[in-house]
mmCIF file of all heavy atoms in Angstrom:
data_model
loop_
_atom_site.group_PDB
_atom_site.id
_atom_site.type_symbol
_atom_site.label_atom_id
_atom_site.label_comp_id
_atom_site.label_asym_id
_atom_site.label_seq_id
_atom_site.Cartn_x
_atom_site.Cartn_y
_atom_site.Cartn_z
ATOM 1 N N ASP A 212 18.688 14.613 -8.076
ATOM 2 C CA ASP A 212 17.591 15.453 -7.601
ATOM 3 C C ASP A 212 16.305 14.814 -8.113
ATOM 4 O O ASP A 212 16.291 14.193 -9.183
ATOM 5 C CB ASP A 212 17.725 16.883 -8.136
ATOM 6 C CG ASP A 212 16.714 17.826 -7.482
ATOM 7 O OD1 ASP A 212 16.192 17.492 -6.397
ATOM 8 O OD2 ASP A 212 16.462 18.919 -8.048
ATOM 9 N N ALA A 213 15.251 14.947 -7.353
ATOM 10 C CA ALA A 213 13.983 14.336 -7.743
ATOM 11 C C ALA A 213 12.826 15.206 -7.291
ATOM 12 O O ALA A 213 12.963 16.029 -6.379
ATOM 13 C CB ALA A 213 13.866 12.927 -7.140
ATOM 14 N N GLY A 214 11.699 15.054 -7.950
ATOM 15 C CA GLY A 214 10.520 15.831 -7.581
ATOM 16 C C GLY A 214 9.328 15.388 -8.404
ATOM 17 O O GLY A 214 9.314 14.291 -8.961
ATOM 18 N N ARG A 215 8.331 16.266 -8.498
ATOM 19 C CA ARG A 215 7.128 15.944 -9.273
ATOM 20 C C ARG A 215 6.951 16.878 -10.457
ATOM 21 O O ARG A 215 5.954 16.792 -11.170
ATOM 22 C CB ARG A 215 5.890 16.008 -8.357
ATOM 23 C CG ARG A 215 5.969 15.080 -7.158
ATOM 24 C CD ARG A 215 4.626 14.949 -6.445
ATOM 25 N NE ARG A 215 4.781 14.287 -5.149
ATOM 26 C CZ ARG A 215 4.899 12.980 -4.986
ATOM 27 N NH1 ARG A 215 4.885 12.188 -6.036
ATOM 28 N NH2 ARG A 215 5.044 12.462 -3.778
ATOM 29 N N ASP A 216 7.922 17.793 -10.688
ATOM 30 C CA ASP A 216 7.843 18.732 -11.804
ATOM 31 C C ASP A 216 9.236 18.858 -12.434
ATOM 32 O O ASP A 216 10.171 19.336 -11.775
ATOM 33 C CB ASP A 216 7.375 20.099 -11.293
ATOM 34 C CG ASP A 216 7.199 21.109 -12.417
ATOM 35 O OD1 ASP A 216 7.685 20.856 -13.539
ATOM 36 O OD2 ASP A 216 6.576 22.158 -12.167
ATOM 37 N N PRO A 217 9.412 18.427 -13.673
ATOM 38 C CA PRO A 217 10.743 18.479 -14.294
ATOM 39 C C PRO A 217 11.366 19.876 -14.291
ATOM 40 O O PRO A 217 12.587 20.007 -14.193
ATOM 41 C CB PRO A 217 10.476 18.000 -15.731
ATOM 42 C CG PRO A 217 9.273 17.129 -15.616
ATOM 43 C CD PRO A 217 8.418 17.771 -14.552
ATOM 44 N N SER A 218 10.550 20.910 -14.379
ATOM 45 C CA SER A 218 11.102 22.263 -14.447
ATOM 46 C C SER A 218 11.736 22.706 -13.136
ATOM 47 O O SER A 218 12.469 23.696 -13.104
ATOM 48 C CB SER A 218 10.001 23.256 -14.844
ATOM 49 O OG SER A 218 9.057 23.403 -13.800
ATOM 50 N N LYS A 219 11.443 21.986 -12.058
ATOM 51 C CA LYS A 219 12.002 22.356 -10.756
ATOM 52 C C LYS A 219 13.225 21.527 -10.383
ATOM 53 O O LYS A 219 13.794 21.703 -9.296
ATOM 54 C CB LYS A 219 10.922 22.227 -9.678
ATOM 55 C CG LYS A 219 9.771 23.208 -9.874
ATOM 56 C CD LYS A 219 8.710 23.063 -8.798
ATOM 57 C CE LYS A 219 7.570 24.065 -9.041
ATOM 58 N NZ LYS A 219 6.469 23.916 -8.072
ATOM 59 N N LEU A 220 13.641 20.619 -11.245
ATOM 60 C CA LEU A 220 14.876 19.870 -10.985
ATOM 61 C C LEU A 220 16.064 20.804 -11.150
ATOM 62 O O LEU A 220 16.161 21.548 -12.135
ATOM 63 C CB LEU A 220 14.977 18.681 -11.948
ATOM 64 C CG LEU A 220 13.862 17.637 -11.822
ATOM 65 C CD1 LEU A 220 14.002 16.576 -12.910
ATOM 66 C CD2 LEU A 220 13.870 16.985 -10.445
ATOM 67 N N ASP A 221 16.976 20.779 -10.186
ATOM 68 C CA ASP A 221 18.072 21.756 -10.131
ATOM 69 C C ASP A 221 19.346 21.176 -10.783
ATOM 70 O O ASP A 221 20.158 20.532 -10.119
ATOM 71 C CB ASP A 221 18.331 22.146 -8.680
ATOM 72 C CG ASP A 221 19.176 23.405 -8.559
ATOM 73 O OD1 ASP A 221 19.972 23.666 -9.483
ATOM 74 O OD2 ASP A 221 19.026 24.111 -7.554
ATOM 75 N N VAL A 222 19.508 21.427 -12.067
ATOM 76 C CA VAL A 222 20.645 20.896 -12.819
ATOM 77 C C VAL A 222 21.971 21.413 -12.258
ATOM 78 O O VAL A 222 22.913 20.633 -12.040
ATOM 79 C CB VAL A 222 20.512 21.270 -14.315
ATOM 80 C CG1 VAL A 222 21.808 20.975 -15.060
ATOM 81 C CG2 VAL A 222 19.355 20.504 -14.945
ATOM 82 N N GLU A 223 22.066 22.707 -12.021
ATOM 83 C CA GLU A 223 23.335 23.286 -11.560
ATOM 84 C C GLU A 223 23.737 22.753 -10.191
ATOM 85 O O GLU A 223 24.914 22.456 -9.945
ATOM 86 C CB GLU A 223 23.219 24.821 -11.521
ATOM 87 C CG GLU A 223 23.033 25.468 -12.875
ATOM 88 C CD GLU A 223 24.245 25.233 -13.790
ATOM 89 O OE1 GLU A 223 25.369 25.126 -13.269
ATOM 90 O OE2 GLU A 223 24.038 25.131 -15.020
ATOM 91 N N LYS A 224 22.771 22.610 -9.303
ATOM 92 C CA LYS A 224 23.071 22.107 -7.958
ATOM 93 C C LYS A 224 23.565 20.666 -8.009
ATOM 94 O O LYS A 224 24.535 20.304 -7.336
ATOM 95 C CB LYS A 224 21.824 22.205 -7.081
ATOM 96 C CG LYS A 224 22.036 21.734 -5.651
ATOM 97 C CD LYS A 224 20.750 21.871 -4.834
ATOM 98 C CE LYS A 224 20.950 21.373 -3.403
ATOM 99 N NZ LYS A 224 19.695 21.476 -2.614
ATOM 100 N N VAL A 225 22.916 19.843 -8.814
ATOM 101 C CA VAL A 225 23.332 18.437 -8.928
ATOM 102 C C VAL A 225 24.724 18.341 -9.538
ATOM 103 O O VAL A 225 25.575 17.573 -9.079
ATOM 104 C CB VAL A 225 22.308 17.649 -9.771
ATOM 105 C CG1 VAL A 225 22.805 16.233 -10.049
ATOM 106 C CG2 VAL A 225 20.972 17.585 -9.049
ATOM 107 N N ALA A 226 24.993 19.143 -10.558
ATOM 108 C CA ALA A 226 26.311 19.134 -11.209
ATOM 109 C C ALA A 226 27.404 19.543 -10.223
ATOM 110 O O ALA A 226 28.452 18.892 -10.130
ATOM 111 C CB ALA A 226 26.296 20.078 -12.410
ATOM 112 N N ARG A 227 27.164 20.637 -9.492
ATOM 113 C CA ARG A 227 28.170 21.109 -8.518
ATOM 114 C C ARG A 227 28.399 20.065 -7.435
ATOM 115 O O ARG A 227 29.547 19.813 -7.024
ATOM 116 C CB ARG A 227 27.708 22.425 -7.883
ATOM 117 C CG ARG A 227 27.774 23.638 -8.773
ATOM 118 C CD ARG A 227 27.662 24.915 -7.936
ATOM 119 N NE ARG A 227 26.453 24.923 -7.118
ATOM 120 C CZ ARG A 227 25.285 25.395 -7.534
ATOM 121 N NH1 ARG A 227 25.168 25.895 -8.750
ATOM 122 N NH2 ARG A 227 24.235 25.393 -6.736
ATOM 123 N N ASP A 228 27.342 19.462 -6.965
ATOM 124 C CA ASP A 228 27.461 18.498 -5.866
ATOM 125 C C ASP A 228 28.251 17.264 -6.305
ATOM 126 O O ASP A 228 29.160 16.819 -5.592
ATOM 127 C CB ASP A 228 26.055 18.092 -5.404
ATOM 128 C CG ASP A 228 26.098 17.197 -4.187
ATOM 129 O OD1 ASP A 228 26.681 17.611 -3.164
ATOM 130 O OD2 ASP A 228 25.572 16.067 -4.257
ATOM 131 N N ALA A 229 27.930 16.729 -7.476
ATOM 132 C CA ALA A 229 28.652 15.537 -7.950
ATOM 133 C C ALA A 229 30.125 15.864 -8.187
ATOM 134 O O ALA A 229 31.017 15.081 -7.820
ATOM 135 C CB ALA A 229 28.007 15.016 -9.235
ATOM 136 N N ALA A 230 30.385 17.011 -8.797
ATOM 137 C CA ALA A 230 31.774 17.392 -9.082
ATOM 138 C C ALA A 230 32.556 17.607 -7.789
ATOM 139 O O ALA A 230 33.716 17.159 -7.652
ATOM 140 C CB ALA A 230 31.788 18.658 -9.931
ATOM 141 N N HIS A 231 31.948 18.293 -6.827
ATOM 142 C CA HIS A 231 32.612 18.540 -5.544
ATOM 143 C C HIS A 231 32.948 17.228 -4.843
ATOM 144 O O HIS A 231 34.057 17.052 -4.311
ATOM 145 C CB HIS A 231 31.699 19.411 -4.679
ATOM 146 C CG HIS A 231 32.137 19.551 -3.265
ATOM 147 N ND1 HIS A 231 33.290 20.231 -2.909
ATOM 148 C CD2 HIS A 231 31.589 19.081 -2.104
ATOM 149 C CE1 HIS A 231 33.436 20.184 -1.595
ATOM 150 N NE2 HIS A 231 32.428 19.484 -1.086
ATOM 151 N N ARG A 232 32.003 16.306 -4.861
ATOM 152 C CA ARG A 232 32.224 15.036 -4.174
ATOM 153 C C ARG A 232 33.317 14.211 -4.846
ATOM 154 O O ARG A 232 34.120 13.558 -4.169
ATOM 155 C CB ARG A 232 30.916 14.234 -4.138
ATOM 156 C CG ARG A 232 29.900 14.792 -3.192
ATOM 157 C CD ARG A 232 28.562 14.087 -3.285
ATOM 158 N NE ARG A 232 27.631 14.682 -2.355
ATOM 159 C CZ ARG A 232 27.560 14.372 -1.070
ATOM 160 N NH1 ARG A 232 28.348 13.430 -0.584
ATOM 161 N NH2 ARG A 232 26.727 14.982 -0.274
#
Side-chain angles (χ1 to χ4, degrees):
D212 189 20
R215 302 192 192 280
D216 183 346
S218 69
K219 295 180 180 177
L220 298 175
D221 195 332
V222 169
E223 295 297 329
K224 181 180 179 181
V225 173
R227 287 195 304 271
D228 185 57
H231 170 67
R232 288 173 180 277

